[in-house]
Amino acid sequence: MVFPGHGGLGSRRLLLSCLLLAAWGTGSGQLHYSVPEEAKHGTFVGRIAQDLGLELAELVPRLFRVASKERGDLLEVNVQNGILFVNSRIDREELCGRSAECGIHLEVIVDRPLQVFHVEVEVRDINDNPPVFPVKEQKLFISESRMLDSKFLLEGASDADIGANSVLTYRLDSNDYFTLIVNSKNEENKQIELVLRKSLDREDAPEHNLLLRATDGGKPELTGSVQLRVTVLDVNDNAPTFQQSEYEVRILENSDIGTTVIRLNASDPDEGMNGVISYSFNSLVSPIVLDHFNINSNIGEIIIQGNLDFEEVNLYKIRVDATDKGHPPMEGHCTVLVKVLDENDNVPQIAFTSLSLPVLEDAQVDTVIALISVSDRDSGENGQVTCSLTPHVPFRLVSTFKNYYSLVLDSALDRETTPGYEVVVTARDGGAPALWATASVSVEVADVNDNAPAFAQAEYTVFVKENNPPGAHIFTVSATDADAQENARVTYSLVERRVGERALSSYVSVHAQSGRVHALQPLDHEELEMLRFQVSARDAGEPALGGQVTLQVFVLDDNDNAPALLGPEAGVQAAGVSQLLWRSVGAGHVVTKVRAVDADSGYNAWLSYELQPEAGGARSPFRVGLYTGEISTTRALDEADAPRQRLLVLVKDHGEPALTATATVLLSLVDSGQAPKAPSRSRALVDAAGREASLLDVNVYLIVAICAVSSLLVLTLLLYVALRCSAASPTEGACGPGKPVLVCSSAVGSWSYSQQRRHRCALGRARPRRTSWPSAPVFQLVHHQKLLANGKI
């Protein structure tokens, strides 16, 4: 779907994002899939990335992942194609039991930006569980005297599946004596009864073996079976009887083990073994009765064998069977109700709810601090509880309902005087003797946000060597806040501004919680000598308060730039440049000058010049100034000197390690009587004998040539400046700084600087370098560089 006036792809993404956000806000899940249980590994579930509107190329960069609170390994997503598939065996019955609805809830998480999607995967039931009976064989004992149409209850089967897969039908194998009746009140409660259709004759058939089958409603059907073993018993026509059908006994809780509860007596008019009676608890008696009571099978005495606790169980219903020893045995029944009487054996319980902590120091009197509920498991007066507070606290208790209190503020608070209170509540019951308990709550007095974060210093100076690795830690700012809790939780951020043409955040970043300042990219001393910026610290109070600190980051120079030759000598190493020199010049005559520049600064840019010795060890009649680069003669030239002299000048900086460059100067020695040919390049002609007229002519030509070249240079510079100023942005001013290369010489050496960058520091414009020997502060900075390079700082 494409909206008019918008890009197709961008509009689709915007619409899909809006729909996903709307679905997220209104429903518990954005996507719904279904998969049958027991599906094989790799079974396709859905194109989850496509349905969520995520591009496949974004899945890995945005850390696409799927999490589940349930079995996290059941489903998996292929991050290459965005398909959700079955990863391991899914058993619906193991996952959800017999719940009608079964699903796996997935959380789909992507970062940058963070988004969370909810996906529900329904697990559909398949008929993979057959009906199961609780036992493999059910035994029934039926007297041969039982009347026709007598019914005998059978245990039914259960099916772990749901729906139609768990609907069971029962079938009994064909026989002459019994039929099956199934009374279905609902699917969860089917009563299966075996009905006697033909009189039993123990002498004819003492036992009947029947097969009961249960079939579910799934496709295909699954069947379970149980063997019914019916034993025909001989006649014993009198059952034991009790004097009462129900007995009631009262006994105190915590009575001693072995105490007699009651002694029962049943009678049987039969004679012999048919009249001998044994007593037992009915098979339907709950396990808790068996844990607390025992019965003597011979005399019918019920005794205590476990501790009786009124607060846990105050009434026990015990069904007792009296069984004779006839064949078949017959039973009589009675019920014994054991009522447990209460004693004051439980201390009161105190619970704090709805705590409204901490309490602001400017909170109003009668402000509710907490709700308190008290209880006592005893009954009557033993369970009646009264409460009180420890004295000398600015709080009081207000009764709101029976056994419910409110802890309210009784007087004004002052955090500076008392930052917190330990409030003790005492609860006492009405028993004799009374039992009591205490509970305490720490009430912290919270401060209002009246202190801004503060730095130890208003400004810090940081030294960082250039060419640092990206993300390097350069400094850690730390501010303290005198407030408490959220009001003292400080976060840090950069005060964004422009550094030349770039944003400050492209150079450095600050971690919001730790205050660690990192350089996001390698810093270049030749591009940026000093970066000055502010870091803001704000607390989390309402309203938030903040403070700032200034960081001056000096980028220390590293010797990463080799000397660069200027003028024609820059290309002389490969081809060489010739100069003409009269043989008649004397000692100390300056022939030419080698010029070089180093983009570094300090010692790294301090250049020296050396004349490499000639091959064969011959002594050259020339020398070069150690720091000036001037090539001059050491003696008068004579006929023995070769007509062509090749000088190799080594230019070296003072960095560690030192970087070098070489320049080659070719000199052609010309006799004073020879007329030199016109040079192809600029050459220095020196006539030691010198005729004033020739020198005057040469000087005139040189002056004219210099004036012409200077005029052309000035015109070019004016045109260049005009073009730069017309193209400059408003933030750069009328004219941006140029890229000059300054070389300064002195008697003690050459100090060269490079200004081939827009700005020197983070103050918005470049500052020109000094063109003389550096002052004491510069040497101090160089000293810092050397100490940093040697690992001493």
Side-chain angles (χ1 to χ4, degrees):
M1 179 176 181
V2 180
F3 293 98
H6 296 77
L9 180 57
S11 300
R12 286 195 297 271
R13 288 180 178 174
L14 178 60
L15 177 60
L16 184 56
S17 299
C18 293
L19 291 176
L20 289 175
L21 288 175
W24 191 5
T26 59
S28 61
Q30 289 178 294
L31 294 179
H32 184 275
Y33 300 109
S34 66
V35 64
E37 64 172 328
E38 306 295 344
K40 295 182 179 180
H41 173 76
T43 299
F44 172 84
V45 178
R47 301 183 182 277
I48 189 170
Q50 178 181 339
D51 294 340
L52 290 176
L54 301 176
E55 299 291 341
L56 295 181
E58 298 177 350
L59 299 185
V60 174
R62 292 188 65 186
L63 302 179
F64 180 92
R65 57 194 184 277
V66 173
S68 173
K69 292 182 180 179
E70 296 93 1
R71 292 275 302 278
D73 59 344
L74 298 180
L75 300 174
E76 189 58 73
V77 174
N78 187 331
V79 295
Q80 304 300 323
N81 55 25
I83 292 178
L84 181 67
F85 64 91
V86 175
N87 186 51
S88 62
R89 176 178 175 266
I90 302 176
D91 187 346
R92 186 187 185 283
E93 290 70 38
E94 178 183 348
L95 190 63
C96 303
R98 293 190 54 81
S99 176
E101 296 181 359
C102 183
I104 301 174
H105 177 77
L106 304 177
E107 287 186 354
V108 180
I109 305 172
V110 291
D111 293 335
R112 306 169 188 167
L114 177 64
Q115 289 181 282
V116 179
F117 304 95
H118 296 272
V119 179
E120 290 288 340
V121 180
E122 177 190 357
V123 180
R124 301 194 306 272
D125 183 47
I126 65 172
N127 192 26
D128 58 339
N129 290 282
V132 177
F133 287 90
V135 294
K136 295 182 179 180
E137 181 181 80
Q138 291 190 29
K139 295 181 178 180
L140 289 87
F141 298 90
I142 303 176
S143 172
E144 62 179 341
S145 63
R146 293 300 295 265
M147 303 297 293
L148 296 179
D149 295 329
S150 295
K151 297 178 180 179
F152 307 93
L153 187 63
L154 301 177
E155 289 291 337
S158 61
D159 195 310
D161 295 320
I162 63 171
N165 295 330
S166 64
V167 177
L168 303 181
T169 57
Y170 295 91
R171 182 168 54 88
L172 186 66
D173 281 358
S174 177
N175 66 93
D176 297 333
Y177 291 91
F178 299 95
T179 60
L180 197 67
I181 295 179
V182 179
N183 296 320
S184 301
K185 296 183 179 180
N186 54 62
E187 291 298 330
E188 300 296 330
N189 184 17
K190 286 188 176 182
Q191 188 171 354
I192 308 168
E193 295 177 317
L194 193 66
V195 181
L196 182 63
R197 294 301 186 190
K198 181 180 178 181
S199 296
L200 297 175
D201 185 354
R202 181 180 177 278
E203 289 70 28
D204 182 33
E207 187 176 83
H208 299 271
N209 291 314
L210 308 175
L211 186 64
L212 176 62
R213 290 187 175 90
T215 305
D216 62 24
K219 293 183 179 180
E221 297 177 344
L222 298 178
T223 301
S225 62
V226 62
Q227 186 76 31
L228 301 180
R229 186 182 299 274
V230 179
T231 301
V232 181
L233 303 178
D234 202 3
V235 174
N236 178 25
D237 55 353
N238 289 286
T241 59
F242 291 92
Q243 293 178 353
Q244 299 174 218
S245 62
E246 182 175 288
Y247 297 87
E248 182 176 315
V249 181
R250 298 174 183 269
I251 191 167
L252 285 173
E253 65 174 329
N254 302 319
S255 296
D256 295 336
I257 304 298
T259 300
T260 300
V261 177
I262 191 175
R263 183 169 182 172
L264 299 173
N265 185 22
S267 61
D268 192 321
D270 293 328
E271 295 182 349
M273 295 303 296
N274 291 336
V276 177
I277 299 173
S278 65
Y279 300 89
S280 63
F281 291 143
N282 188 274
S283 61
L284 299 179
V285 167
S286 64
I288 192 171
V289 171
L290 300 178
D291 292 338
H292 291 82
F293 301 95
N294 191 16
I295 188 170
N296 188 311
S297 61
N298 295 322
I299 61 177
E301 185 178 61
I302 299 176
I303 61 175
I304 298 174
Q305 70 171 4
N307 183 55
L308 301 181
D309 190 348
F310 172 86
E311 288 69 39
E312 291 184 0
V313 181
N314 57 21
L315 177 64
Y316 294 90
K317 185 177 180 180
I318 306 174
R319 292 185 62 183
V320 179
D321 294 341
T323 307
D324 63 24
K325 296 186 178 181
H327 295 284
M330 299 191 71
E331 294 179 350
H333 311 282
C334 75
T335 301
V336 179
L337 298 179
V338 179
K339 293 185 177 181
V340 182
L341 303 181
D342 182 45
E343 285 187 332
N344 191 25
D345 60 342
N346 290 279
V347 297
Q349 302 293 322
I350 305 173
F352 288 90
T353 60
S354 302
L355 292 174
S356 181
L357 298 176
V359 182
L360 293 176
E361 62 178 333
D362 58 354
Q364 299 295 322
V365 175
D366 292 332
T367 298
V368 177
I369 309 302
L371 299 180
I372 302 173
S373 63
V374 294
S375 62
D376 194 310
R377 298 178 63 189
D378 296 320
S379 61
E381 291 185 355
N382 296 333
Q384 294 179 0
V385 181
T386 58
C387 292
S388 62
L389 282 182
T390 53
H392 310 301
V393 292
F395 306 99
R396 58 188 171 89
L397 288 175
V398 176
S399 178
T400 58
F401 192 68
K402 181 182 178 181
N403 292 339
Y404 287 89
Y405 298 86
S406 294
L407 179 65
V408 300
L409 185 62
D410 191 43
S411 60
L413 300 175
D414 185 0
R415 177 183 178 274
E416 287 67 33
T417 302
T418 307
Y421 298 89
E422 189 73 17
V423 179
V424 179
V425 178
T426 301
R428 188 181 302 271
D429 64 24
L435 300 178
W436 56 275
T438 61
S440 63
V441 60
S442 297
V443 178
E444 180 183 358
V445 181
D447 190 22
V448 295
N449 191 27
D450 55 353
N451 292 280
F455 292 92
Q457 298 177 213
E459 184 174 300
Y460 293 91
T461 300
V462 182
F463 296 93
V464 180
K465 286 196 69 174
E466 67 172 331
N467 303 321
N468 57 280
H473 171 240
I474 61 176
F475 194 70
T476 299
V477 296
S478 178
T480 58
D481 195 309
D483 295 322
Q485 295 183 356
E486 290 298 313
N487 295 333
R489 184 166 60 85
V490 180
T491 57
Y492 304 90
S493 63
L494 288 177
V495 179
E496 187 60 82
R497 65 178 192 82
R498 305 293 297 179
V499 179
E501 298 179 354
R502 300 171 60 181
L504 173 65
S505 57
S506 65
Y507 286 97
V508 293
S509 69
V510 60
H511 191 269
Q513 281 71 41
S514 66
R516 291 170 61 90
V517 181
H518 298 268
L520 297 180
Q521 61 182 8
L523 299 177
D524 189 353
H525 173 81
E526 289 71 41
E527 177 186 351
L528 191 67
E529 289 181 354
M530 192 268 284
L531 183 64
R532 183 184 177 91
F533 59 93
Q534 285 77 39
V535 175
S536 173
R538 290 182 70 83
D539 59 29
E542 289 291 343
L545 301 178
Q548 289 186 353
V549 67
T550 301
L551 293 184
Q552 288 191 107
V553 180
F554 286 93
V555 183
L556 303 182
D557 183 52
D558 194 10
N559 192 27
D560 57 347
N561 291 280
L565 299 172
L566 301 176
E569 292 82 355
V572 88
Q573 184 176 1
V577 174
S578 298
Q579 301 233 78
L580 297 181
L581 179 65
W582 302 112
R583 286 183 180 272
S584 56
V585 298
H589 178 79
V590 177
V591 177
T592 185
K593 184 174 183 178
V594 176
R595 293 180 176 84
V597 67
D598 194 310
D600 296 319
S601 63
Y603 284 102
N604 296 330
W606 184 17
L607 303 181
S608 61
Y609 302 84
E610 298 178 8
L611 190 64
Q612 299 295 97
E614 297 182 359
R619 183 177 181 183
S620 173
F622 302 95
R623 66 180 178 85
V624 63
L626 179 61
Y627 299 111
T628 63
E630 293 181 347
I631 298 177
S632 60
T633 58
T634 59
R635 58 177 174 80
L637 302 178
D638 52 30
E639 296 297 331
D641 294 318
R644 293 184 63 82
Q645 297 283 335
R646 184 176 183 274
L647 305 181
L648 185 63
V649 179
L650 177 67
V651 184
K652 181 172 64 173
D653 61 25
H654 283 71
E656 294 182 3
L659 301 179
T660 62
T662 57
T664 303
V665 179
L666 301 178
L667 299 178
S668 297
L669 304 185
V670 181
D671 294 331
S672 58
Q674 294 179 343
K677 297 180 182 180
S680 59
R681 300 184 182 181
S682 174
R683 299 175 181 177
L685 303 177
V686 181
D687 187 357
R691 288 179 298 177
E692 292 183 1
S694 298
L695 291 175
L696 181 60
D697 292 339
V698 171
N699 289 337
V700 170
Y701 289 128
L702 289 175
I703 292 172
V704 172
I706 290 173
C707 290
V709 172
S710 299
S711 300
L712 181 60
L713 178 61
V714 170
L715 181 60
T716 303
L717 290 175
L718 290 176
L719 180 60
Y720 173 74
V721 170
L723 292 175
R724 285 293 303 274
C725 291
S726 62
S729 62
T731 59
E732 294 177 350
C735 184
K739 301 179 180 179
V741 177
L742 302 181
V743 180
C744 293
S745 302
S746 68
V748 296
S750 173
W751 197 272
S752 59
Y753 300 89
S754 172
Q755 287 186 331
Q756 297 178 356
R757 50 190 174 272
R758 280 297 181 104
H759 47 270
R760 282 292 179 182
C761 64
L763 299 178
R765 66 174 62 184
R767 295 183 296 180
R769 292 177 178 269
R770 281 177 284 188
T771 57
S772 62
W773 188 263
S775 60
V778 176
F779 271 112
Q780 186 178 4
L781 184 60
V782 172
H783 181 64
H784 274 287
Q785 289 178 313
K786 286 190 170 293
L787 291 177
L788 185 61
N790 295 330
K792 296 180 179 179
I793 61 173

